[in-house]
Amino acid sequence: MLRVVNLELVNKKLINIELPMGKILEIKGENGAGKSLLLKSLARLIPSRFEYLSLNGKNSLDFSPSKWRSQVMYLGAEVYFNSEMSVQDFFHYPYQFHLHHSAKPLFSPEDFLSHTHQKVGLLSSGQKQLLSLLRSLSLNPQILLLDETFSHLDEKMRAKSIEFIHRWL
């Protein structure tokens, strides 16, 4: 369970959340309401004040930032790529680091994308979003914070992605 008590966002809003594992919480609001701020704060990507933030009862401050972010993973609409990197190399890139070195991907990008040896820079925005989502799911975080992750996907690929997230849960 992800639990936050009195998270104070930079816009001075206080948030309390308890999110059980395997559940989906959808946050809706107007542009500028603070949805992205909330998600980035939960992932500890931006400095935020909170009374308590925990994952499965363990205080977030007991995790290194990289370990926390590997368990509470944020994925935004815009993902930054090395456009010269191949799809295959992008997908497997995190596994070269100590944090994921012994992990095995849950699946292969070939299951969803053709031409995995082509350069990432040649992919459409939707294909890049899909690749980022697949890589994030493959790293098997405890919590996945999705911030407009489907904004560049067509209706068919959006439905497939949502179905895949449900299977992953």
Side-chain angles (χ1 to χ4, degrees), residues 23-93:
K23 298 295 180 188
I24 294 174
L25 173 65
E26 183 177 12
I27 301 169
K28 292 183 178 185
E30 296 176 5
N31 289 342
K35 301 177 298 291
S36 295
L37 286 174
L38 170 61
L39 297 177
K40 289 176 183 177
S41 294
L42 292 174
R44 291 180 45 200
L45 291 169
I46 58 174
S48 301
R49 293 177 11 158
F50 51 84
E51 189 175 315
Y52 186 71
L53 176 61
S54 68
L55 180 64
N56 298 324
K58 187 173 178 184
N59 192 315
S60 68
L61 301 176
D62 294 337
F63 290 82
S64 69
S66 59
K67 183 66 174 173
W68 179 263
R69 291 177 193 132
S70 75
Q71 296 301 305
V72 180
M73 192 175 292
Y74 172 84
L75 182 60
E78 299 297 324
V79 179
Y80 301 99
F81 294 88
N82 173 345
S83 61
E84 296 299 311
M85 186 179 276
S86 74
V87 169
Q88 190 76 285
D89 289 342
F90 174 81
F91 187 83
H92 292 288
Y93 184 74

Side-chain angles (χ1 to χ4, degrees), residues 7 14-15 26 33 54-55 71 85 94 110-111 133 153 156:
L7 171 66
L14 287 178
I15 305 287
E26 183 177 12
S54 68
L55 180 64
Q71 296 301 305
M85 186 179 276
E110 290 89 2
D111 297 339
L133 175 64
L153 297 179
K156 181 180 174 185

Side-chain angles (χ1 to χ4, degrees), residues 92-126:
H92 292 288
Y93 184 74
Y95 297 98
Q96 69 180 321
F97 296 104
H98 178 71
L99 192 60
H100 299 293
H101 191 57
S102 61
K104 293 191 180 218
L106 297 178
F107 50 85
S108 170
E110 290 89 2
D111 297 339
F112 298 90
L113 294 169
S114 57
H115 312 297
T116 56
H117 295 290
Q118 78 180 30
K119 292 182 180 181
V120 172
L122 299 175
L123 296 178
S124 71
S125 296

